[in-house]
Amino acid sequence: SNFIDDLRVYVRGGTGGMGYPNLGGEGGRGGDVWFVARERTTLKSIREKYPQKRFVAGTGANSSVKALKGEKGKDCEVYVPLGISVLDDDGKQIGELNAAGERFLAARGGLGGSLATNFLPCKGQRRTVHLDLKLIADVGLVGFPNAGKSSLLSKISHAKPEIANYPFTTIQPELGKIMYADYKQISVADLPGLIEGAHANKGMGHKFLKHVERTKQLLLVVDISGFQLSIKTPFRTAFETILLLTKELELYKEELVTKPALLAINKMDLPCAKDNLDELMTQLENPQDFFHLIEEEMIPENTLEFREVIPISTYTGEGIEELKTCLRKSIDEQAEQANEEYQKKKLLLLQTPK
């Protein structure tokens, strides 16, 4: 695959330099290994550039008559993509890098030899860590396979995802940008299609769901005519699809369903689409009134509140411009709300007596 979202690497801090017993000289400290977030960097490029996946910092300089205090060893800086979580071998998160320039100390260098260590140097910290990537995007497309997410991304952005009339066309995340006339840009991530049981890691499961975590908003894409993965799986109506998608998100991580969400009803060019849409809108107005028609395990604890419901057709282009406008409005409103909350906190801090 061209896309890598997890990389296991070995890091080792540099060994300290030797002390100088006769004159009480102290060896230089070993260099450190740092992960540094940088734009336009990928885990794939790291793997290609460093196939051994080993990062070792420089050794500290020995103490000598000319330089009683040895120089520190050279640091090793590894540039990583934005959206990286650093995990230890037990899967525990030990660091996070979300903005360009952020740094994480992956392995500390050893102390140089001194009186305290009988002038013998210490070895640097060594460990194996996982670089776990979660895509950062303004909008994440969520839907079952064949809902038309890839087609939609190609319509609203400059991305060119693979498109075909069978499930699981998308097997790796695809990023696109919507460009507006005033040069505003909104990033959109087309993520691999969910299936029932994704929260339990069925299908692409967690590989898909972890990327939803760092998107600001969700755009659910649903086929108005319903969905059936195969002849062995049950047919799901558009309403059932929405409930199932919500349930999968909720079971993976509850806070995902608290994100701002929009709903795109796709394939409005199909026969009976208008009648199906009228029925769906009635169901969405009071979803609880229709829960008795479906299995209990399909019902989410909390239903998603959609900011907008937009009927579209990626085939004819119907509703695409309206959808782009709605996405822009929703993102702007969220940014404005976040700014207001920040200003309130700032004001509160100024008013609070020291």
Side-chain angles (χ1 to χ4, degrees), residues 277-295:
L277 180 65
D278 292 340
E279 184 184 352
L280 177 61
M281 295 306 286
T282 304
Q283 291 167 326
L284 288 175
E285 277 176 26
N286 294 294
Q288 291 82 3
D289 294 351
F290 301 90
F291 283 173
H292 66 280
L293 301 173
I294 54 181
E295 303 103 293

PDB file of all heavy atoms in Angstrom, residues 277-295:
ATOM      1  N   LEU A 277     -36.667   9.555   0.001  1.00  0.00           N
ATOM      2  CA  LEU A 277     -36.178  10.712   0.749  1.00  0.00           C
ATOM      3  C   LEU A 277     -37.269  11.256   1.669  1.00  0.00           C
ATOM      4  O   LEU A 277     -36.993  11.585   2.838  1.00  0.00           O
ATOM      5  CB  LEU A 277     -35.697  11.810  -0.212  1.00  0.00           C
ATOM      6  CG  LEU A 277     -35.166  13.083   0.458  1.00  0.00           C
ATOM      7  CD1 LEU A 277     -33.908  12.800   1.263  1.00  0.00           C
ATOM      8  CD2 LEU A 277     -34.879  14.169  -0.584  1.00  0.00           C
ATOM      9  N   ASP A 278     -38.495  11.357   1.168  1.00  0.00           N
ATOM     10  CA  ASP A 278     -39.612  11.842   1.997  1.00  0.00           C
ATOM     11  C   ASP A 278     -39.785  10.955   3.232  1.00  0.00           C
ATOM     12  O   ASP A 278     -39.984  11.444   4.356  1.00  0.00           O
ATOM     13  CB  ASP A 278     -40.914  11.859   1.189  1.00  0.00           C
ATOM     14  CG  ASP A 278     -40.893  12.915   0.086  1.00  0.00           C
ATOM     15  OD1 ASP A 278     -40.069  13.848   0.182  1.00  0.00           O
ATOM     16  OD2 ASP A 278     -41.688  12.798  -0.881  1.00  0.00           O
ATOM     17  N   GLU A 279     -39.708   9.643   3.020  1.00  0.00           N
ATOM     18  CA  GLU A 279     -39.846   8.692   4.129  1.00  0.00           C
ATOM     19  C   GLU A 279     -38.695   8.854   5.125  1.00  0.00           C
ATOM     20  O   GLU A 279     -38.904   8.880   6.348  1.00  0.00           O
ATOM     21  CB  GLU A 279     -39.858   7.257   3.575  1.00  0.00           C
ATOM     22  CG  GLU A 279     -40.099   6.195   4.641  1.00  0.00           C
ATOM     23  CD  GLU A 279     -39.999   4.768   4.086  1.00  0.00           C
ATOM     24  OE1 GLU A 279     -39.894   4.597   2.860  1.00  0.00           O
ATOM     25  OE2 GLU A 279     -40.015   3.841   4.912  1.00  0.00           O
ATOM     26  N   LEU A 280     -37.471   9.010   4.603  1.00  0.00           N
ATOM     27  CA  LEU A 280     -36.299   9.161   5.468  1.00  0.00           C
ATOM     28  C   LEU A 280     -36.371  10.436   6.299  1.00  0.00           C
ATOM     29  O   LEU A 280     -36.071  10.428   7.496  1.00  0.00           O
ATOM     30  CB  LEU A 280     -35.018   9.164   4.624  1.00  0.00           C
ATOM     31  CG  LEU A 280     -33.695   9.392   5.379  1.00  0.00           C
ATOM     32  CD1 LEU A 280     -33.457   8.290   6.411  1.00  0.00           C
ATOM     33  CD2 LEU A 280     -32.521   9.460   4.413  1.00  0.00           C
ATOM     34  N   MET A 281     -36.794  11.544   5.693  1.00  0.00           N
ATOM     35  CA  MET A 281     -36.880  12.818   6.424  1.00  0.00           C
ATOM     36  C   MET A 281     -37.890  12.726   7.564  1.00  0.00           C
ATOM     37  O   MET A 281     -37.681  13.278   8.637  1.00  0.00           O
ATOM     38  CB  MET A 281     -37.253  13.961   5.463  1.00  0.00           C
ATOM     39  CG  MET A 281     -36.194  14.263   4.409  1.00  0.00           C
ATOM     40  SD  MET A 281     -34.540  14.584   5.095  1.00  0.00           S
ATOM     41  CE  MET A 281     -34.782  16.221   5.759  1.00  0.00           C
ATOM     42  N   THR A 282     -38.983  11.994   7.320  1.00  0.00           N
ATOM     43  CA  THR A 282     -39.988  11.772   8.381  1.00  0.00           C
ATOM     44  C   THR A 282     -39.361  10.977   9.534  1.00  0.00           C
ATOM     45  O   THR A 282     -39.566  11.287  10.718  1.00  0.00           O
ATOM     46  CB  THR A 282     -41.200  10.999   7.812  1.00  0.00           C
ATOM     47  OG1 THR A 282     -41.728  11.704   6.703  1.00  0.00           O
ATOM     48  CG2 THR A 282     -42.284  10.822   8.870  1.00  0.00           C
ATOM     49  N   GLN A 283     -38.582   9.966   9.185  1.00  0.00           N
ATOM     50  CA  GLN A 283     -37.936   9.128  10.204  1.00  0.00           C
ATOM     51  C   GLN A 283     -36.879   9.911  10.993  1.00  0.00           C
ATOM     52  O   GLN A 283     -36.736   9.730  12.204  1.00  0.00           O
ATOM     53  CB  GLN A 283     -37.289   7.911   9.532  1.00  0.00           C
ATOM     54  CG  GLN A 283     -38.307   6.922   8.973  1.00  0.00           C
ATOM     55  CD  GLN A 283     -37.671   5.890   8.052  1.00  0.00           C
ATOM     56  OE1 GLN A 283     -36.711   6.178   7.325  1.00  0.00           O
ATOM     57  NE2 GLN A 283     -38.205   4.676   8.062  1.00  0.00           N
ATOM     58  N   LEU A 284     -36.178  10.813  10.311  1.00  0.00           N
ATOM     59  CA  LEU A 284     -35.123  11.579  10.981  1.00  0.00           C
ATOM     60  C   LEU A 284     -35.679  12.644  11.918  1.00  0.00           C
ATOM     61  O   LEU A 284     -35.009  13.058  12.864  1.00  0.00           O
ATOM     62  CB  LEU A 284     -34.200  12.240   9.948  1.00  0.00           C
ATOM     63  CG  LEU A 284     -33.265  11.313   9.172  1.00  0.00           C
ATOM     64  CD1 LEU A 284     -32.503  12.086   8.101  1.00  0.00           C
ATOM     65  CD2 LEU A 284     -32.276  10.613  10.117  1.00  0.00           C
ATOM     66  N   GLU A 285     -36.905  13.098  11.638  1.00  0.00           N
ATOM     67  CA  GLU A 285     -37.516  14.118  12.503  1.00  0.00           C
ATOM     68  C   GLU A 285     -37.740  13.579  13.905  1.00  0.00           C
ATOM     69  O   GLU A 285     -37.484  14.258  14.897  1.00  0.00           O
ATOM     70  CB  GLU A 285     -38.845  14.591  11.895  1.00  0.00           C
ATOM     71  CG  GLU A 285     -38.655  15.668  10.839  1.00  0.00           C
ATOM     72  CD  GLU A 285     -39.973  16.046  10.190  1.00  0.00           C
ATOM     73  OE1 GLU A 285     -41.038  15.876  10.829  1.00  0.00           O
ATOM     74  OE2 GLU A 285     -39.946  16.510   9.028  1.00  0.00           O
ATOM     75  N   ASN A 286     -38.235  12.329  14.009  1.00  0.00           N
ATOM     76  CA  ASN A 286     -38.452  11.685  15.306  1.00  0.00           C
ATOM     77  C   ASN A 286     -37.972  10.234  15.228  1.00  0.00           C
ATOM     78  O   ASN A 286     -38.786   9.307  15.128  1.00  0.00           O
ATOM     79  CB  ASN A 286     -39.943  11.721  15.697  1.00  0.00           C
ATOM     80  CG  ASN A 286     -40.429  13.133  15.932  1.00  0.00           C
ATOM     81  OD1 ASN A 286     -40.010  13.803  16.864  1.00  0.00           O
ATOM     82  ND2 ASN A 286     -41.304  13.591  15.047  1.00  0.00           N
ATOM     83  N   PRO A 287     -36.645  10.016  15.252  1.00  0.00           N
ATOM     84  CA  PRO A 287     -36.127   8.653  15.061  1.00  0.00           C
ATOM     85  C   PRO A 287     -36.645   7.643  16.084  1.00  0.00           C
ATOM     86  O   PRO A 287     -36.861   6.476  15.753  1.00  0.00           O
ATOM     87  CB  PRO A 287     -34.607   8.820  15.168  1.00  0.00           C
ATOM     88  CG  PRO A 287     -34.373  10.187  15.710  1.00  0.00           C
ATOM     89  CD  PRO A 287     -35.567  10.996  15.409  1.00  0.00           C
ATOM     90  N   GLN A 288     -36.881   8.118  17.318  1.00  0.00           N
ATOM     91  CA  GLN A 288     -37.336   7.198  18.378  1.00  0.00           C
ATOM     92  C   GLN A 288     -38.668   6.514  18.028  1.00  0.00           C
ATOM     93  O   GLN A 288     -38.926   5.394  18.459  1.00  0.00           O
ATOM     94  CB  GLN A 288     -37.497   7.952  19.719  1.00  0.00           C
ATOM     95  CG  GLN A 288     -36.194   8.402  20.340  1.00  0.00           C
ATOM     96  CD  GLN A 288     -35.656   9.702  19.745  1.00  0.00           C
ATOM     97  OE1 GLN A 288     -36.301  10.309  18.893  1.00  0.00           O
ATOM     98  NE2 GLN A 288     -34.483  10.113  20.187  1.00  0.00           N
ATOM     99  N   ASP A 289     -39.503   7.198  17.238  1.00  0.00           N
ATOM    100  CA  ASP A 289     -40.809   6.640  16.868  1.00  0.00           C
ATOM    101  C   ASP A 289     -40.688   5.408  15.974  1.00  0.00           C
ATOM    102  O   ASP A 289     -41.659   4.659  15.796  1.00  0.00           O
ATOM    103  CB  ASP A 289     -41.652   7.697  16.129  1.00  0.00           C
ATOM    104  CG  ASP A 289     -42.011   8.866  17.030  1.00  0.00           C
ATOM    105  OD1 ASP A 289     -41.751   8.770  18.251  1.00  0.00           O
ATOM    106  OD2 ASP A 289     -42.527   9.886  16.511  1.00  0.00           O
ATOM    107  N   PHE A 290     -39.491   5.191  15.403  1.00  0.00           N
ATOM    108  CA  PHE A 290     -39.307   4.080  14.458  1.00  0.00           C
ATOM    109  C   PHE A 290     -38.349   3.007  14.988  1.00  0.00           C
ATOM    110  O   PHE A 290     -38.040   2.055  14.289  1.00  0.00           O
ATOM    111  CB  PHE A 290     -38.798   4.619  13.117  1.00  0.00           C
ATOM    112  CG  PHE A 290     -39.733   5.615  12.481  1.00  0.00           C
ATOM    113  CD1 PHE A 290     -39.617   6.973  12.745  1.00  0.00           C
ATOM    114  CD2 PHE A 290     -40.752   5.183  11.645  1.00  0.00           C
ATOM    115  CE1 PHE A 290     -40.486   7.883  12.166  1.00  0.00           C
ATOM    116  CE2 PHE A 290     -41.627   6.089  11.062  1.00  0.00           C
ATOM    117  CZ  PHE A 290     -41.494   7.451  11.329  1.00  0.00           C
ATOM    118  N   PHE A 291     -37.915   3.168  16.240  1.00  0.00           N
ATOM    119  CA  PHE A 291     -36.982   2.200  16.817  1.00  0.00           C
ATOM    120  C   PHE A 291     -37.601   0.814  16.967  1.00  0.00           C
ATOM    121  O   PHE A 291     -36.901  -0.197  16.944  1.00  0.00           O
ATOM    122  CB  PHE A 291     -36.465   2.681  18.178  1.00  0.00           C
ATOM    123  CG  PHE A 291     -35.415   3.762  18.083  1.00  0.00           C
ATOM    124  CD1 PHE A 291     -34.952   4.399  19.226  1.00  0.00           C
ATOM    125  CD2 PHE A 291     -34.885   4.137  16.865  1.00  0.00           C
ATOM    126  CE1 PHE A 291     -33.984   5.389  19.145  1.00  0.00           C
ATOM    127  CE2 PHE A 291     -33.928   5.132  16.763  1.00  0.00           C
ATOM    128  CZ  PHE A 291     -33.475   5.760  17.914  1.00  0.00           C
ATOM    129  N   HIS A 292     -38.939   0.767  17.125  1.00  0.00           N
ATOM    130  CA  HIS A 292     -39.604  -0.530  17.325  1.00  0.00           C
ATOM    131  C   HIS A 292     -39.544  -1.410  16.061  1.00  0.00           C
ATOM    132  O   HIS A 292     -39.770  -2.617  16.130  1.00  0.00           O
ATOM    133  CB  HIS A 292     -41.067  -0.322  17.748  1.00  0.00           C
ATOM    134  CG  HIS A 292     -41.917   0.298  16.676  1.00  0.00           C
ATOM    135  ND1 HIS A 292     -41.902   1.658  16.414  1.00  0.00           N
ATOM    136  CD2 HIS A 292     -42.783  -0.255  15.777  1.00  0.00           C
ATOM    137  CE1 HIS A 292     -42.739   1.908  15.414  1.00  0.00           C
ATOM    138  NE2 HIS A 292     -43.289   0.769  15.010  1.00  0.00           N
ATOM    139  N   LEU A 293     -39.192  -0.797  14.923  1.00  0.00           N
ATOM    140  CA  LEU A 293     -39.154  -1.543  13.664  1.00  0.00           C
ATOM    141  C   LEU A 293     -37.831  -2.266  13.438  1.00  0.00           C
ATOM    142  O   LEU A 293     -37.711  -3.074  12.520  1.00  0.00           O
ATOM    143  CB  LEU A 293     -39.402  -0.589  12.483  1.00  0.00           C
ATOM    144  CG  LEU A 293     -40.733   0.177  12.478  1.00  0.00           C
ATOM    145  CD1 LEU A 293     -40.750   1.200  11.363  1.00  0.00           C
ATOM    146  CD2 LEU A 293     -41.905  -0.810  12.320  1.00  0.00           C
ATOM    147  N   ILE A 294     -36.826  -1.966  14.255  1.00  0.00           N
ATOM    148  CA  ILE A 294     -35.488  -2.535  14.025  1.00  0.00           C
ATOM    149  C   ILE A 294     -34.969  -3.283  15.250  1.00  0.00           C
ATOM    150  O   ILE A 294     -35.489  -3.127  16.353  1.00  0.00           O
ATOM    151  CB  ILE A 294     -34.485  -1.426  13.620  1.00  0.00           C
ATOM    152  CG1 ILE A 294     -34.494  -0.319  14.663  1.00  0.00           C
ATOM    153  CG2 ILE A 294     -34.780  -0.866  12.255  1.00  0.00           C
ATOM    154  CD1 ILE A 294     -33.569   0.830  14.358  1.00  0.00           C
ATOM    155  N   GLU A 295     -33.937  -4.098  15.024  1.00  0.00           N
ATOM    156  CA  GLU A 295     -33.365  -4.877  16.139  1.00  0.00           C
ATOM    157  C   GLU A 295     -32.781  -3.949  17.206  1.00  0.00           C
ATOM    158  O   GLU A 295     -32.202  -2.914  16.888  1.00  0.00           O
ATOM    159  CB  GLU A 295     -32.245  -5.807  15.651  1.00  0.00           C
ATOM    160  CG  GLU A 295     -32.651  -6.776  14.561  1.00  0.00           C
ATOM    161  CD  GLU A 295     -32.178  -6.348  13.194  1.00  0.00           C
ATOM    162  OE1 GLU A 295     -32.677  -5.317  12.701  1.00  0.00           O
ATOM    163  OE2 GLU A 295     -31.312  -7.034  12.629  1.00  0.00           O
TER     164      GLU A 295
END
